[in-house]
Amino acid sequence: MDVFSNIMTGFSAVLTLETLAFAFLGVLIGTLTGILPGIGPITAIALLIPLSYGMEPMSGLIMLIGIYYGSMYGGSTTAILIKTPGEVASIVTTLDGYEMAKQGKAGRALSAAAIGSFIAGTLSTLGLMLLSPILAKSAYYFGSAEYFLLIVLAMSMVSSLTTGSPLKAYISTLFGLSIAMVGIDLQTSVPRFTFGIPNLLDGIDFVLIAIALFAIPEAIENLARKGSSHKADIQKIKGSQWMTREDWKRSIGPFGRGSVLGFLIGVLPGIGPSLASFLSYGMEKKLSKHPEEFGKGAIEGVSGPEAANNAGVGGALVPLFTLGIPGSATTALLMFIFMMYGLQPGPGMFDSNPTLLWAIIASMYIGNVMLLILNLPLVGVFASLLKLPAVPLFVGVVALSVLGVYGINFNQFDLILLFVFGMVGYAMSRFGFPLAPAVMALVLGPLLEQNFRRTMEITNGDLLTFVQRPISLVILILIVLMIILPILKRVFMKKRNSRG
């Protein structure tokens, strides 16, 4: 009953013309950034953070979170029409979605993606609504030692489970932690890593790093391709734009299974919706009565993965809202925005700012309805955006990056840092160093240090405190497993390959 009354409070707060306008703006921008290859939610949110400084917290957060889940809808459009996923999570959709488009079934594939996204988004928001209060109450059993280890676990999971080399992911994490330490130590008032530069005494702004690591490398990467357009590759939307009765019959199961799978995987830090969509595809292929159709235009290959990657958004918000621990680069950006507004995500927010949190959850129900209305009838309009040349688009991204960073402090030194870290981000991307662990570490670094110092002060420097309580001991064991399992897996694979 408490949950019902709380969500009603959230709806009453969000059902104003101003708040609904920002919710609509967020999901619209999210759809557009999902459609345009190379933009994505991280870049869009990073670019819009400076513009959200003067907004009310509720409006700003509802808009930016709307961009997050809205981009999942848009990513399927490019995957189906040009075989280029707008989002990493939409890669699997290209396998059967593009084949359906070549067979003249693009409208049916796009409808399946939109409806699956709506069902999954609604179910994952329901899961977020029901699970968050329970986890928030259990989080009160966590002390500073548990929070320190929980942050280490989150960063370990992001580094260990990310695609590519775990070593490069850990190096990226250390890079983010080192940036977080720049500036005056608030406890000792001693400058750290400032190299005698007065402009670094206040540290390096998170927004600057986020834009430099995501927006600038994407712009350089796309501009380096000489602005090639996708005009020739776009599949036309022919025939009916609605799912047939047979499509519905074959998609209902994948919609439900993908929603549950995506939500559960989304809750785990460091995994994200991309793995959920891959697992959903494999599961549907095994369960299907027509496995031979997969890769040749099976609608289940669109319905399941699209449901899974959208459900992952609601799941990813659970640890952010309940524990104050982001599980991905996007939720790390959202966590910074909470703190920018003077709010600390975690269990305390359900007591100190319940209306705000429940309004955000209520807005997600409304936003999913808005996305369904936008994506079903207007998909042809959105598809025409794929004809935009890349050069003006990404030159605009660079211009917005420069204006956004300069507008933070009106300091030319920040523009030098933007260029330097933009080149660093581009180099990291080119050489396979994942950027998400660096952003996660940058956000969580101060909390990591703060909780470690608090623990040491309480226990007079006794490190055994991390193994003396059951919760901290379990988390410590999980950390060790996260570090050694990828190593053991590589050793096992090498031995198996040498035998083969």
Side-chain angles (χ1 to χ4, degrees), residues 391-407:
V391 170
L393 178 65
F394 286 98
V395 167
V397 169
V398 173
L400 286 173
S401 301
V402 172
L403 288 173
V405 168
Y406 184 71

Side-chain angles (χ1 to χ4, degrees), residues 336-404:
F336 169 79
I337 295 161
F338 271 96
M339 295 189 292
M340 180 184 79
Y341 286 125
L343 306 167
Q344 179 60 56
M349 279 201 69
F350 281 89
D351 295 326
S352 60
N353 292 281
T355 303
L356 173 64
L357 281 183
W358 288 106
I360 291 172
I361 294 172
S363 75
M364 293 175 69
Y365 284 110
I366 297 169
N368 275 291
V369 175
M370 290 177 173
L371 281 164
L372 188 66
I373 296 170
L374 275 173
N375 279 269
L376 282 178
L378 298 178
V379 68
V381 177
F382 290 136
S384 64
L385 294 173
L386 298 172
K387 299 176 183 178
L388 289 173
V391 170
L393 178 65
F394 286 98
V395 167
V397 169
V398 173
L400 286 173
S401 301
V402 172
L403 288 173

